[in-house]
């Protein structure tokens, strides 16, 4: 069984993530979407909410499992689950510059390889951060996020409006 891990904060998951996860599932028998927790980070959504949105969105796809990654090393997490690869999408050369040392470190730590997939053109401008900013300023994000995320973000906006 060829297993890969797609790690991330997924705060929230968006269409750029989904496109990479779907392509990864064509390359591996099983893809674990590993939702991270980093106590140094301030997330918009709780871990349970981030897991819930990813699970609802990916429920119909075969061979994809969504689970919490915990706060430890990604390389150890992959090793513990028998995953031979980490899959990451690359939107730009700056993504590559950021990812390369981590990929090399992860391989040194446990031998896990990193597979980079070039991002699809119409999603390369997406990040969870930019989507949250556009939404918070009243912009339309419906082209960029799955329905479960759109619902959660609209709910948040209306709660904030009181
Ligand atoms: O979506 P994000 O926030 O960019 O995801 C970052 C993630 C989870 C991939 C990254 O923070 C990570 O790899 N965390 C695990 C901690 C770890 O292994 N650190 C050493 C990297 S060499």
């Amino acid at each position: 069984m060829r297993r890969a891990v797609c790690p991330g904060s997924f705060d929230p998951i968006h269409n750029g993530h989904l496109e990479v996860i779907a392509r990864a599932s064509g390359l591996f028998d099983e893809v674990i979407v590993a939702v991270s927790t980093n106590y140094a980070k301030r997330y918009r959504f709780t871990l349970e909410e981030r897991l819930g949105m990813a699970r609802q969105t990916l429920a119909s796809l075969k061979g994809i499992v969504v689970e919490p990654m915990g706060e430890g090393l990604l390389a150890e997490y992959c090793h513990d689950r028998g995953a031979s690869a980490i899959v990451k999408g690359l939107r730009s050369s700056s993504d590559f510059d950021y990812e390369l040392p981590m990929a090399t470190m992860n391989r040194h730590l446990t031998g896990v390889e990193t597979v980079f997939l070039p991002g699809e053109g119409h999603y390369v401008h997406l990040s969870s951060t930019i989507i949250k900013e556009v939404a918070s300023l009243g912009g339309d994000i419906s082209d960029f996020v799955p329905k479960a995320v759109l619902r959660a973000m609209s709910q948040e906006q209306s709660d904030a409006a009181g």
Side-chain angles (χ1 to χ4, degrees):
M1 148 94 76
R2 286 262 175 212
R3 186 175 286 132
V5 170
C6 287
S9 300
F10 303 112
D11 185 39
I13 195 162
H14 59 65
N15 291 348
H17 294 131
L18 295 176
E19 188 256 330
V20 170
I21 293 164
R23 282 161 65 199
S25 82
L27 298 172
F28 292 88
D29 301 312
E30 184 177 280
V31 172
I32 303 175
V33 176
V35 181
S36 68
T37 301
N38 175 348
Y39 287 106
K41 263 190 174 181
R42 287 197 58 197
Y43 297 106
R44 170 74 64 90
F45 293 100
T46 65
L47 175 63
E48 288 311 318
E49 289 169 332
R50 290 180 285 131
L51 284 165
M53 288 184 281
R55 285 188 175 130
Q56 282 177 52
T57 303
L58 294 164
S60 60
L61 297 180
K62 278 203 182 123
I64 297 178
V65 176
V66 179
E67 62 171 44
M69 195 182 100
E71 343 154 32
L73 283 172
L74 174 59
E76 293 292 348
Y77 174 88
C78 294
H79 183 257
D80 292 348
R81 279 161 184 70
S84 54
I86 296 163
V87 177
K88 296 261 183 110
L90 290 183
R91 294 165 295 192
S92 63
S93 55
S94 58
D95 271 0
F96 181 72
D97 290 344
Y98 177 71
E99 295 289 346
L100 184 60
M102 293 198 285
T104 307
M105 178 58 82
N106 285 329
R107 186 162 52 81
H108 275 269
L109 288 170
T110 62
V112 65
E113 293 286 1
T114 298
V115 174
F116 292 120
L117 298 180
E120 184 62 42
H122 47 278
Y123 292 137
V124 289
H125 59 306
L126 296 190
S127 68
S128 298
T129 304
I130 205 168
I131 286 169
K132 284 180 285 195
E133 179 166 348
V134 170
S136 71
L137 296 172
D140 178 8
I141 55 163
S142 57
D143 282 347
F144 311 128
V145 295
K147 286 199 170 61
V149 172
L150 198 58
R151 274 196 301 273
M153 296 198 74
S154 310
Q155 183 61 51
E156 237 201 357
Q157 294 288 107
S158 60
D159 288 351

